[in-house]
């Protein structure tokens, strides 16, 4: 009789989500080494799921793998921010325009805004803001477009975490979120898309003024 071993993917997923959460909430700083043996001990697993989790995070752009330095949290600079936000500026406003034209109710976006407003710390607020933006583009009616935005979502959150550490501007961004949602709920697709474009562009320009987003 064959007995199936405890599936490694479940342990890998556990480690992956835990490390990602620490990165996106600033508990693991950009450039910080991610030592397999230390992480394995912290999470009570072998090095194998840790190694697989770090490889996956490298694929999403949150971790950098080096033959000589090992794995480290990706550093954020103006060039990296511009690369990520260029993609968002090209895709996210159009996705929102399509969402509004589809007549989506946007209840999840409204709920995410409420969670952000009542967040007890920056980590909780960051996660709620990520969910707000995702709730605007997921109902766009194009699954490929949604997946493309999902692919840069974590990197955008890393940029935000780094920027907020030195420039805590979430009150301004919360006000912009409320206006974007108001326009979207009013059915003003083009105005909502313009508002979202300006919101995304102004954030990275404030955080990385040497960039040239437009």
């Amino acid at each position: 009789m064959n007995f199936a071993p405890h599936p490694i993917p479940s342990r890998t997923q556990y480690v992956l989500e835990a490390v990602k959460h620490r990165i996106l909430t600033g508990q693991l700083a950009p450039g910080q080494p991610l030592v397999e043996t230390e992480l394995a001990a912290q999470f009570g697993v072998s090095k194998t799921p840790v190694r697989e989790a770090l490889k996956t995070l490298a694929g999403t752009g949150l971790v950098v793998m080096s033959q000589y330095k090992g794995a480290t949290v990706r550093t954020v600079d103006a060039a990296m921010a511009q690369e990520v936000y260029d993609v968002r500026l090209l895709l996210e406003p159009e996705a929102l325009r399509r969402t509004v034209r589809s007549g989506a109710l946007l209840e999840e976006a409204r709920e995410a805004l409420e969670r952000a407003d009542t967040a007890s710390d920056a980590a909780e607020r960051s996660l709620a803001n990520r969910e707000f933006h995702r709730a605007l583009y997921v109902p766009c009616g194009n699954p490929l477009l949604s997946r493309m935005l999902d692919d840069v979502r974590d990197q955008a959150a890393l940029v935000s975490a780094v920027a907020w550490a030195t420039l805590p501007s979430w009150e301004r961004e919360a006000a912009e979120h409320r206006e974007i949602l108001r326009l979207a709920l009013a059915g003003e697709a083009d105005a909502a898309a313009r508002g979202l474009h300006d919101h995304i562009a102004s954030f990275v320009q404030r955080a990385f003024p040497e960039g040239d987003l437009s």
Side-chain angles (χ1 to χ4, degrees):
M1 182 180 295
N2 293 325
F3 294 94
H6 184 75
I8 289 178
S10 65
R11 296 195 296 270
T12 300
Q13 189 67 26
Y14 165 70
V15 174
L16 188 154
E17 293 299 332
V19 174
K20 179 195 290 188
H21 181 80
R22 292 184 183 187
I23 292 172
L24 296 182
T25 57
Q27 296 175 61
L28 291 170
Q32 185 169 336
L34 300 169
V35 182
E36 290 181 10
T37 52
E38 293 179 0
L39 292 172
Q42 290 175 28
F43 297 123
V45 299
S46 69
K47 290 196 298 182
T48 299
V50 172
R51 186 177 303 116
E52 292 304 313
L54 293 179
K55 287 179 181 178
T56 300
L57 290 170
T60 66
L62 291 182
V63 169
V64 175
M65 307 286 285
S66 168
Q67 181 178 355
Y68 303 104
K69 295 182 179 180
T72 57
V73 179
R74 183 174 184 178
T75 58
V76 174
D77 57 19
M80 181 269 195
Q82 174 142 11
E83 179 181 306
V84 172
Y85 275 68
D86 271 348
V87 174
R88 292 188 66 194
L89 285 169
L90 288 169
L91 301 181
E92 203 166 326
E94 177 59 27
L96 175 58
R97 182 180 287 109
R98 296 183 181 201
T99 291
V100 175
R101 289 175 177 170
S102 76
L105 297 178
L106 297 175
E107 282 301 319
E108 291 185 7
R110 197 196 314 264
E111 292 170 1
L113 259 189
E114 292 174 357
R115 290 197 302 274
D117 286 342
T118 58
S120 59
D121 55 35
E124 185 179 348
R125 185 179 298 110
S126 176
L127 294 173
N129 282 341
R130 292 176 69 214
E131 290 306 316
F132 172 77
H133 278 273
R134 190 170 193 272
L136 295 181
Y137 67 72
V138 165
C140 71
N142 186 325
L144 178 58
L145 179 55
S146 294
R147 289 197 298 272
M148 292 172 71
L149 284 165
D150 276 346
D151 285 344
V152 298
R153 185 166 170 250
D154 287 343
Q155 294 179 61
L158 179 59
V159 172
S160 296
V162 170
W164 281 358
T166 56
L167 184 69
S169 57
W170 50 73
E171 289 184 359
R172 171 175 175 169
E173 287 140 34
E176 292 170 354
H177 284 173
R178 286 190 286 271
E179 176 62 9
I180 291 164
L181 183 59
R182 184 192 70 78
L183 292 168
L185 292 173
E188 299 184 37
D190 291 336
R194 285 195 300 272
L196 181 58
H197 181 283
D198 293 345
H199 165 71
I200 294 170
S202 64
F203 171 77
V204 79
Q205 285 170 347
R206 288 195 303 273
F208 300 93
E210 61 268 42
D212 186 29
L213 290 173
S214 59

